[in-house]
Amino acid sequence: MPPPADIVKVAIEWPGANAQLIEMDQKRPLSSIIREVCDGWSLSGSEQFALRYADGPQLYITEQSRGDIKNGTILRLAISPARAARQLLERIQSHGIDARLEALKELAKLSADPTFAAEFINMEGIATLARLVESGTHFGEMLAFTLTAFLELMDHGIVSWDLISLSFIKQIAGYVNQPMVDVSILQRSLAILESMVLNSHSLYHRVAQEITVGQLIGHLQVSNQEIQTYAIALINALFLKAPEDRRQEMASTLAQKHLRSIILNHVIRGNRPIKAEMAHQLYVLQVLTFNLLEERMMTKMDPNDQAQRDIIFELRRIAFDGESDPTGTEKRKAMYTKDYKMLGFTNHVNPAMDFTQTPPGMLALDNMLYLARVHQDTYIRIVLENSSREDKHECPFGRCAIQLTRMLCEILQVGELPNEGCNDYHPMFFTHDRAWEEFFCVCIQLLNKTWKEMRATAEDFNKVMQVVREQITRALAMKPSSIDQLKNKLRGLSYSEILRLRQSERLSQDDFQSPPIIELRERIQPEILELIKQQRLNRLCEGSCFRKLGNRRRQEKFWFCRLSLNHKVLHYGDLDESPQGEVPFELLSDKIPVSDIKSVLTGKDCPHMKEKSALKQNKEVLELAFSVLYDPDETLNFVAPSKYEYCIWTDGLCALLGREMGSDLTRSDLDTLISMEMKLRLLDLENITIPEAPPPVPKEPSSYNFTYNYS
């Protein structure tokens, strides 16, 4: 007979004594259980003790968290959080250096525990740590542990960052500005400054007075990628929180060749592979830089503004420079109207009206002027080449440039905030001072080329734009390392190549529509589904690493989950760092029997997404969230590192529970593998020779394996 659901069997340790094996009744008060354990070792004053986990982060157990205790868990009797906080507070202020160092080391570890943190903070512990830092008497390990404890305590959100003093900020900024400082101290100092900027408007101004982008350049030239990541994270924070005028100034600094080349050569093209957090920070920097275009993108042209109209006049002048203006207002007006038509504007009389729609607003005009001034030969060739045609196949430059600008804004999500967890940065945008404008110039030439390849007319405008969008997105997906490499990628994506790719990708959907083939497909489908199911379960057995949600600092916290080889238990546990391979079951301290799992929740139905609603969780995180609901009414919450891992885990869990696998990945795999198998079988049938030899046996689907290479 199984034990009652409220009873968990645990082992409790105490230094120098044999462990106690007890059945913990979850209905009993925790204080009563602790008193009973203390009596077992003849310890008095049970109110001075508490229970902690013996493994992993060794968190304190409270009435609120005790429901997480599982059968077989090893616990440890320890002094209570309040008592521990009081003792450590006394020890870190003692005169003995060794005793103080040991106390700070222990404090750095305990500060991650929310129960301990609340007690320590209530005893003015953060103020004490701040005074130790401000005194300037701590160095080396002692200072590193002090800063670690401070950062961990502040990260709980119990105390407002606005309470931090100016002298503390100056001291932390001093460590960042010092030419030679211990790596661990520098790391934590950068992280503290980033948190200050992100969490307090008033502290942003104080930090900005002490730290400039120029002072952070040196930290981008080191070989330690962690330091580089913290430095770029601080640059991003300063960029994100800066007022509009200050942001433009920062953008000018970032666009300077010196800084850009340092990021390109020491970070992007360094000797080490880019880690996920660095890729995310580069993506954030890219997004924040492009978001500076939003103001122009959302600014309508004022048809009555002479300065703005002069830009259109300059476009006309550069294109038709050899032609002198006729005398007489009417003749001049007629000539201008003709020229504006040749330039491809929709409104030939007043082309300023073409720029009144937002987006792209004035940004389109900026792009056109850049092309005309910097790549004048290209601009003149495009305009004159199309304006001289009489066969209705001319490509309207003005209309195309405006719509292309709008399309590029959509592709690069100009004006949108960075997505948490997204790593989609493009190295080529760090290779040029005017990367956005150069990108436009390459794409407008592509549009002109594709228009000619399609032999398009004005009626085909939207079709051409769809093809160009596909060409650009496919080229960007290849991650070209420079503008020149982008040009090479686009040369290989001609209109005929796009048609070939489309036809190839539609093959599995459009082929095999006759009734016998449909019947064969239906016969094959269960076999392929079983193959996909086994692949999903095998991936769950290998396990995956997940990042803990809400951790804003660069010292990431991870946890790992994997399915037992007999598919009966989910094992999971916390990790200090992202693993480089498979994590043994012995290192995963927690587990959930599969038989206890009731359902799998996704997206906004997940409890951790409801809890985080106040933090305005972005759409991407929502799409990667899922939860396992298990008895008794508990949940294990996930945020997958990628869409691929999300599909693998949700499909695998559904397969584990005997439910339908319904992700886009499964549908795609099903179509691909069925098409592959049908082609193999049909190929075998085509090779049959009737006379003497018997027909070859069609290949079984289980006779081949498939691997995934999704990113």
Side-chain angles (χ1 to χ4, degrees):
M1 183 177 176
D6 294 322
I7 302 296
V8 288
K9 296 181 179 181
V10 299
I12 302 179
E13 299 176 337
W14 176 254
N18 293 327
Q20 294 186 39
L21 303 177
I22 70 167
E23 292 187 352
M24 181 183 290
D25 186 350
Q26 295 286 47
K27 292 182 178 178
R28 286 180 60 192
L30 201 55
S31 58
S32 173
I33 296 171
I34 294 171
R35 187 182 310 112
E36 185 179 298
V37 172
C38 288
D39 291 343
W41 284 313
S42 302
L43 298 172
S44 59
S46 62
E47 67 278 358
Q48 296 295 314
F49 292 92
L51 292 176
R52 291 171 61 186
Y53 288 100
D55 302 317
Q58 301 179 5
L59 299 177
Y60 278 103
I61 295 166
T62 65
E63 290 289 356
Q64 290 73 34
S65 66
R66 63 186 295 180
D68 296 332
I69 301 173
K70 306 294 185 296
N71 279 315
T73 302
I74 301 176
L75 306 179
R76 179 176 297 156
L77 187 67
I79 60 174
S80 67
R83 186 178 171 190
R86 193 178 306 108
Q87 289 180 359
L88 284 174
L89 197 57
E90 293 171 358
R91 288 165 57 196
I92 64 175
Q93 299 177 86
S94 65
H95 296 293
I97 294 178
D98 291 340
R100 194 186 308 173
L101 178 61
E102 284 303 311
L104 287 167
K105 185 176 181 179
E106 188 177 346
L107 177 63
K109 184 178 179 181
L110 273 175
S111 294
D113 188 305
T115 310
F116 170 85
E119 296 290 349
F120 190 80
I121 290 170
N122 285 338
M123 297 175 186
E124 302 297 326
I126 286 182
T128 302
L129 292 178
R131 284 194 296 272
L132 291 176
V133 173
E134 291 168 14
S135 68
T137 57
H138 284 51
F139 305 97
E141 269 192 315
M142 192 175 293
L143 178 58
F145 287 133
T146 304
L147 296 178
T148 301
F150 177 86
L151 193 53
E152 289 284 1
L153 291 165
M154 292 300 296
D155 204 40
H156 291 291
I158 299 172
V159 177
S160 170
W161 282 92
D162 288 319
L163 300 176
I164 303 303
S165 68
L166 181 59
S167 59
F168 181 86
I169 297 171
K170 287 181 177 292
Q171 192 69 38
I172 297 297
Y175 299 137
V176 172
N177 292 330
Q178 281 181 20
M180 296 293 292
V181 67
D182 183 80
V183 169
S184 57
I185 294 173
L186 177 58
Q187 224 176 49
R188 287 154 181 77
S189 298
L190 288 167
I192 289 171
L193 292 174
E194 181 199 1
S195 292
M196 287 179 182
V197 172
L198 291 176
N199 290 286
S200 170
H201 178 71
S202 62
L203 289 189
Y204 158 77
H205 294 284
R206 294 181 180 181
V207 172
Q209 289 173 353
E210 303 294 329
I211 299 288
T212 64
V213 174
Q215 291 168 316
L216 296 172
I217 289 177
H219 300 310
L220 299 177
Q221 296 173 282
V222 299
S223 59
N224 187 321
Q225 191 173 120
E226 295 298 317
I227 295 297
Q228 292 176 324
T229 306
Y230 280 91
I232 293 183
L234 179 53
I235 290 173
N236 286 338
L238 289 167
F239 202 162
L240 185 64
K241 295 296 181 178
E244 189 61 37
D245 56 340
R246 176 75 177 136
R247 199 174 301 170
Q248 291 288 348
E249 182 184 328
M250 284 191 67
S252 301
T253 304
L254 291 170
Q256 289 174 4
K257 188 174 182 179
H258 176 57
L259 177 57
R260 186 177 45 74
S261 63
I262 287 174
I263 294 176
L264 183 65
N265 296 322
H266 291 270
V267 179
I268 297 175
R269 296 177 180 171
N271 298 323
R272 302 164 310 283
I274 299 290
K275 294 182 181 179
E277 187 55 42
M278 173 60 87
H280 174 67
Q281 292 303 330
L282 290 171
Y283 154 77
V284 172
L285 182 58
Q286 173 186 290
V287 170
L288 294 176
T289 303
F290 282 146
N291 280 357
L292 293 171
L293 303 169
E294 183 182 13
E295 183 182 358
R296 294 294 284 173
M297 180 182 78
M298 300 307 295
T299 299
K300 295 180 180 181
M301 186 171 187
D302 181 359
N304 299 316
D305 188 319
Q306 188 58 45
Q308 295 179 3
R309 291 169 62 88
D310 286 345
I311 298 175
I312 299 177
F313 292 150
E314 185 171 358
L315 290 175
R316 175 195 167 275
R317 181 191 61 76
I318 294 173
F320 311 113
D321 189 40
E323 301 177 20
S324 58
D325 285 357
T327 57
T329 304
E330 290 302 319
K331 288 184 179 181
R332 188 182 299 115
K333 186 175 180 181
M335 183 176 181
Y336 283 2
T337 300
K338 177 186 173 184
D339 289 349
Y340 291 145
K341 181 179 180 181
M342 293 169 67
L343 278 169
F345 288 113
T346 304
N347 192 318
H348 308 150
V349 177
N350 186 5
M353 299 303 295
D354 285 19
F355 300 95
T356 56
Q357 183 181 3
T358 58
M362 291 294 289
L363 185 60
L365 188 58
D366 295 341
N367 286 340
M368 295 164 71
L369 185 61
Y370 180 87
L371 175 69
R373 286 177 173 174
V374 180
H375 300 279
Q376 193 170 111
D377 291 343
T378 300
Y379 168 70
I380 293 173
R381 176 179 57 79
I382 292 174
V383 172
L384 297 185
E385 183 181 275
N386 288 285
S387 62
S388 61
R389 301 185 68 164
E390 297 294 339
D391 55 2
K392 298 185 179 179
H393 289 289
E394 69 276 3
C395 176
F397 169 74
R399 183 183 177 193
C400 287
I402 292 169
Q403 289 304 312
L404 178 63
T405 301
R406 179 173 184 165
M407 179 198 296
L408 297 183
C409 289
E410 291 171 357
I411 291 173
L412 295 176
Q413 300 179 326
V414 174
E416 295 185 20
L417 288 175
N419 286 324
E420 184 181 333
C422 182
N423 304 334
D424 190 23
Y425 79 97
H426 297 281
M428 71 173 184
F429 290 129
F430 293 87
T431 64
H432 201 284
D433 295 345
R434 303 292 295 272
W436 164 262
E437 290 86 350
E438 289 294 318
F439 183 45
F440 168 83
C441 293
V442 171
C443 293
I444 193 68
Q445 293 177 74
L446 168 73
L447 197 161
N448 188 58
K449 172 174 168 285
T450 302
W451 186 283
K452 288 188 290 185
E453 290 174 349
M454 294 177 67
R455 291 194 54 78
T457 63
E459 290 75 19
D460 302 315
F461 185 87
N462 291 333
K463 293 179 183 178
V464 176
M465 296 306 293
Q466 288 171 8
V467 173
V468 170
R469 175 186 282 270
E470 188 170 344
Q471 290 171 314
I472 294 169
T473 52
R474 285 181 184 272
L476 287 177
M478 300 179 203
K479 299 294 181 184
S481 59
S482 65
I483 298 292
D484 286 337
Q485 198 175 100
L486 173 68
K487 294 177 183 177
N488 292 333
K489 300 291 185 188
L490 290 171
R491 282 192 202 103
L493 288 168
S494 62
Y495 175 54
S496 59
E497 177 64 11
I498 292 295
L499 289 180
R500 189 193 67 78
L501 290 169
R502 286 179 175 179
Q503 184 177 8
S504 175
E505 291 166 1
R506 281 200 301 261
L507 206 56
S508 61
Q509 301 171 14
D510 296 340
D511 281 2
F512 315 128
Q513 295 301 314
S514 64
I517 300 300
I518 293 173
E519 183 181 346
L520 176 60
R521 181 186 180 93
E522 290 174 352
R523 284 216 324 262
I524 292 173
Q525 182 163 319
E527 303 170 12
I528 301 298
L529 271 173
E530 182 61 29
L531 185 65
I532 294 173
K533 173 182 174 182
Q534 290 306 317
Q535 189 271 346
R536 301 294 192 261
L537 293 175
N538 288 342
R539 277 289 291 108
L540 263 62
C541 290
E542 294 172 11
S544 298
C545 181
F546 300 91
R547 191 171 67 172
K548 289 204 168 184
L549 194 65
N551 181 44
R552 291 191 298 271
R553 290 181 279 116
R554 302 285 77 74
Q555 50 258 47
E556 292 189 277
K557 297 181 180 179
F558 303 91
W559 66 287
F560 197 88
C561 186
R562 62 182 296 200
L563 179 65
S564 64
L565 300 180
N566 63 5
H567 299 176
K568 291 186 177 180
V569 179
L570 272 181
H571 295 264
Y572 65 97
D574 292 334
L575 300 176
D576 293 331
E577 58 184 21
S578 181
Q580 297 304 310
E582 197 173 90
V583 176
F585 289 110
E586 302 78 54
L587 297 181
L588 304 175
S589 56
D590 299 305
K591 57 186 178 182
I592 301 172
V594 171
S595 58
D596 286 352
I597 297 177
K598 295 193 287 189
S599 64
V600 178
L601 307 175
T602 59
K604 61 183 180 182
D605 294 328
C606 298
H608 57 315
M609 291 297 101
K610 294 176 182 176
E611 293 167 5
K612 298 286 181 179
S613 60
L615 299 179
K616 298 182 180 177
Q617 285 294 319
N618 59 58
K619 182 181 177 183
E620 182 158 332
V621 173
L622 201 63
E623 290 176 348
L624 298 177
F626 62 99
S627 299
V628 171
L629 183 63
Y630 62 96
D631 290 329
D633 296 327
E634 299 288 343
T635 57
L636 183 62
N637 299 317
F638 300 74
V639 174
S642 66
K643 190 66 177 177
Y644 171 69
E645 288 289 333
Y646 170 84
C647 293
I648 287 290
W649 272 86
T650 52
D651 281 345
L653 290 168
C654 287
L656 203 59
L657 300 177
R659 296 169 190 171
E660 182 180 353
M661 300 182 294
S663 74
D664 292 340
L665 181 62
T666 289
R667 286 191 287 272
S668 173
D669 288 342
L670 187 61
D671 286 341
T672 302
L673 292 172
I674 286 178
S675 295
M676 287 170 58
E677 181 62 19
M678 290 176 71
K679 288 173 187 175
L680 286 170
R681 295 192 182 194
L682 291 172
L683 186 61
D684 285 342
L685 290 171
E686 287 173 4
N687 292 333
I688 292 175
T689 52
I690 302 296
E692 296 91 5
V697 179
K699 194 173 183 182
E700 292 297 328
S702 58
S703 62
Y704 64 85
N705 292 318
F706 64 95
T707 57
Y708 292 94
N709 187 23
Y710 291 90
S711 58

